Amino acid sequence: MTAGAIARRTAEAPIGAASSEGWRGSSKKTAIAKVPAASVPVGGMAKSSDPKTGEVIYVLQPKAGQYHAISSICPHAQCGVNPPQDGQFVCPCHNSRFNAATGELLQGPATKGLARYGIQRVGKDLLISDKETT
Ligand code: FES
């Protein structure tokens, strides 16, 4: 599927509070947003937002069962990146480019990739937790 197709399949997902139940591992995480897994098709994405900052979070499923929650804020000078197209997020301010599946940096002037949020599938929902990287 092309990134253009990904952009066309974008859906605005509802946001809601979720408990920390269902998180695995030793570190306890608190969900900040909830997205129905069915709203994120394989090769597609949905949009959510961080309730603390209002920033858009892109929720992606590049492969079946593999989910990523990526910040829309460019780490160079905090512009909002455009929705993915042709496999990349492009920042409209100074043209930094990021991998559309993972948020990894492809081209500067940014010196690091887009921040990632924690994400965990619990039943029919994807629970998003605070940023893991900045
Ligand atoms: S703010 Fe994104 S490249 Fe400068």
Side-chain angles (χ1 to χ4, degrees):
M1 176 175 295
T2 66
I6 291 172
R8 285 189 296 278
R9 295 179 70 178
T10 299
E12 189 71 34
I15 300 166
S19 75
S20 62
E21 295 175 11
W23 292 100
R24 297 189 186 120
S26 58
S27 62
K28 188 172 178 102
K29 297 180 179 181
T30 301
I32 61 170
K34 180 170 68 174
V35 175
S39 71
V40 186
V42 176
M45 64 171 229
K47 286 167 49 176
S48 185
S49 65
D50 185 326
K52 296 177 198 166
T53 64
E55 77 183 63
V56 171
I57 301 171
Y58 291 108
V59 182
L60 309 154
Q61 185 182 192
K63 296 179 182 176
Q66 182 183 83
Y67 297 98
H68 299 286
I70 298 174
S71 170
S72 64
I73 303 301
C74 178
H76 179 238
Q78 285 68 56
C79 288
V81 298
N82 293 326
Q85 188 169 12
D86 298 327
Q88 298 179 358
F89 290 105
V90 177
C91 180
C93 291
H94 309 105
N95 205 37
S96 285
R97 294 171 183 268
F98 306 91
N99 182 298
T102 64
E104 293 171 321
L105 178 66
L106 300 174
Q107 173 187 303
T111 58
K112 59 184 177 181
L114 298 172
R116 294 172 62 147
Y117 288 80
I119 188 165
Q120 172 77 45
R121 182 169 183 162
V122 178
K124 295 181 178 181
D125 293 320
L126 300 171
L127 303 183
I128 299 168
S129 62
D130 281 329
K131 288 179 185 172
E132 295 184 332
T133 59
T134 57

